[in-house]
Amino acid sequence: MRASHVSFRAIGFYVITLSLMVLLFGLSIRLGTYTLSFEEIWAAFQPDDKNYFTLMEYRLPRAVLAILLGGALAISGVLVQSVVRNPLASPDILGINNAAGLVAVSVLMFLPNLAFYWMPIFAFLGGVLSFVILWIVCGFNFKMAIIGVALSALWAAISHYLMLTNPVEINTAMLWLTGSLWGRSWSYLNVVLPWLVVLLPLPFIFCRDLDTLGLGENKASTLGVTVNKVQISVLVLAVALSTTAVAICGPIAFLGLVAPHLARRLVGGRHRTLLPAALIIGALLLQLSDILARVIDPPTELPAGILTAIIGAPYFFYLLMRTK
């Protein structure tokens, strides 16, 4: 009876959230500086239509990227929280995203002619370096969240210094650091898609090991889990997922913190159901934030990262207050 209850609960969750994802996808290609009717959207698939460029080269790739990048950030958050065993941990809280953003800004300023497909690699190296520094300073303990916030502020400060000393590229860099999907076209999707096709399925290989790690490192070791190997592999994968997303849309604040918590509340803590649930919730949050960024004050567009921060910052303080 219990298994049946969980099964129906999971089915209900996926039906509702996937329906919401389709709805938000439709709104994403419909809303913006000006609204397209369903008839205009249908007609815009023809190359000679006046709305063809808006739909096919601007809104459609942006809507797809919101799903992929939101899911990648959310799964990265699940992996970090599961390994560190800290409810406050996430790639942005630990400074990984801002470190990747710093490297991305540096590349934009000092290597402007570098082919964009190198950006995820540079962002990944920045994220790994940041996490190694954090690991050396405090190891796997509860201080990671607090020290991570400090490191995140440090990377952000260096990024701001670079922008002040290189004002020619300040607009591009500023947009990057606030987290936005503005101007993201098929070329960005072509860069990130091969990475995510490889990276997104990999966390499911570790579902059983991550469930066992939840019992504690000693018990997991006695049950046959090679703890250090799993921890390092999963954390490298988490860094790769988050920095790949940051390379495209900048450091989207708090999404990797909030989405895993919502997923756990809705489907429980078993990673076989938690990972896809977090992916869907992360996609929904970034879709919603991106739509609101466009429609709150058109034609001015807010960065989606500001909206996720408005949602996530109070939630982080709530977790900080209730966690001893």
Side-chain angles (χ1 to χ4, degrees):
M1 181 66 69
R2 178 64 179 172
S4 175
H5 171 73
V6 173
S7 175
F8 282 119
R9 179 182 176 184
I11 291 172
F13 167 83
Y14 290 122
V15 168
I16 292 172
T17 53
L18 289 174
S19 299
L20 284 173
M21 186 181 296
V22 172
L23 174 63
L24 290 177
F25 186 88
L27 290 175
S28 183
I29 62 175
R30 186 172 181 230
L31 301 176
T33 305
Y34 58 93
T35 301
L36 295 175
S37 67
F38 292 110
E39 292 79 8
E40 288 174 322
I41 292 173
W42 182 258
F45 285 99
Q46 302 299 320
D48 58 347
D49 188 82
K50 64 179 180 179
N51 295 313
Y52 176 83
F53 181 83
T54 299
L55 177 66
M56 298 301 295
E57 300 298 329
Y58 181 65
R59 294 188 184 179
L60 194 57
R62 184 171 178 169
V64 175
L65 281 169
I67 294 173
L68 293 175
L69 302 183
L73 289 168
I75 287 185
S76 178
V78 171
L79 298 179
V80 170
Q81 290 175 10
S82 298
V83 172
V84 177
R85 298 181 67 198
N86 184 339
L88 302 177
S90 71
D92 49 330
I93 297 298
L94 299 184
I96 295 170
N97 287 0
N98 273 352
L102 169 59
V103 173
V105 167
S106 301
V107 170
L108 286 172
M109 291 184 171
F110 301 118
L111 299 171
N113 296 322
L114 185 72
F116 186 77
Y117 60 77
W118 288 100
M119 189 68 80
I121 297 175
F122 280 98
F124 171 71
L125 294 175
V128 168
L129 179 60
S130 175
F131 190 81
V132 169
I133 293 172
L134 180 63
W135 195 355
I136 292 172
V137 171
C138 62
F140 285 149
N141 59 51
F142 202 79
K143 294 179 182 178
M144 289 191 86
I146 306 302
I147 297 175
V149 169
L151 282 176
S152 184
L154 174 62
W155 308 140
I158 297 173
S159 298
H160 294 151
Y161 172 78
L162 291 176
M163 288 189 292
L164 290 174
T165 54
N166 297 271
V168 174
E169 302 292 340
I170 192 170
N171 289 334
T172 302
M174 197 67 180
L175 182 64
W176 205 284
L177 288 176
T178 51
S180 176
L181 289 170
W182 180 86
R184 300 303 184 255
S185 60
W186 292 113
S187 61
Y188 289 85
L189 184 61
N190 291 337
V191 168
V192 77
L193 190 59
W195 291 92
L196 294 182
V197 166
V198 174
L199 292 173
L200 283 174
L202 292 179
F204 293 90
I205 298 173
F206 297 97
C207 285
R208 183 175 179 181
D209 290 336
L210 290 172
D211 288 340
T212 308
L213 275 176
L215 303 174
E217 293 183 12
N218 293 333
K219 185 169 288 188
S221 181
T222 61
L223 292 173
V225 176
T226 310
V227 174
N228 289 336
K229 181 179 178 181
V230 170
Q231 287 177 330
I232 293 173
S233 299
V234 170
L235 286 174
V236 168
L237 182 55
V239 172
L241 282 166
S242 63
T243 54
T244 299
V246 170
I248 302 300
C249 64
I252 301 292
F254 293 107
L255 195 151
L257 173 72
V258 174
H261 280 277
L262 292 177
R264 283 190 184 90
R265 287 179 177 272
L266 292 170
V267 301
R270 297 198 60 172
H271 287 81
R272 192 170 297 278
T273 53
L274 175 61
L275 286 171
L279 186 152
I280 293 171
I281 291 175
L284 290 174
L285 289 175
L286 190 52
Q287 281 182 298
L288 181 61
S289 298
D290 186 50
I291 292 170
L292 292 176
R294 282 181 273 169
V295 302
I296 287 178
D297 187 25
T300 302
E301 181 170 323
L302 297 173
I306 291 178
L307 296 175
T308 58
I310 291 172
I311 299 171
Y315 191 71
F316 175 72
F317 287 128
Y318 163 72
L319 289 174
L320 193 61
M321 294 295 293
R322 70 188 287 265
T323 305
K324 296 182 180 179

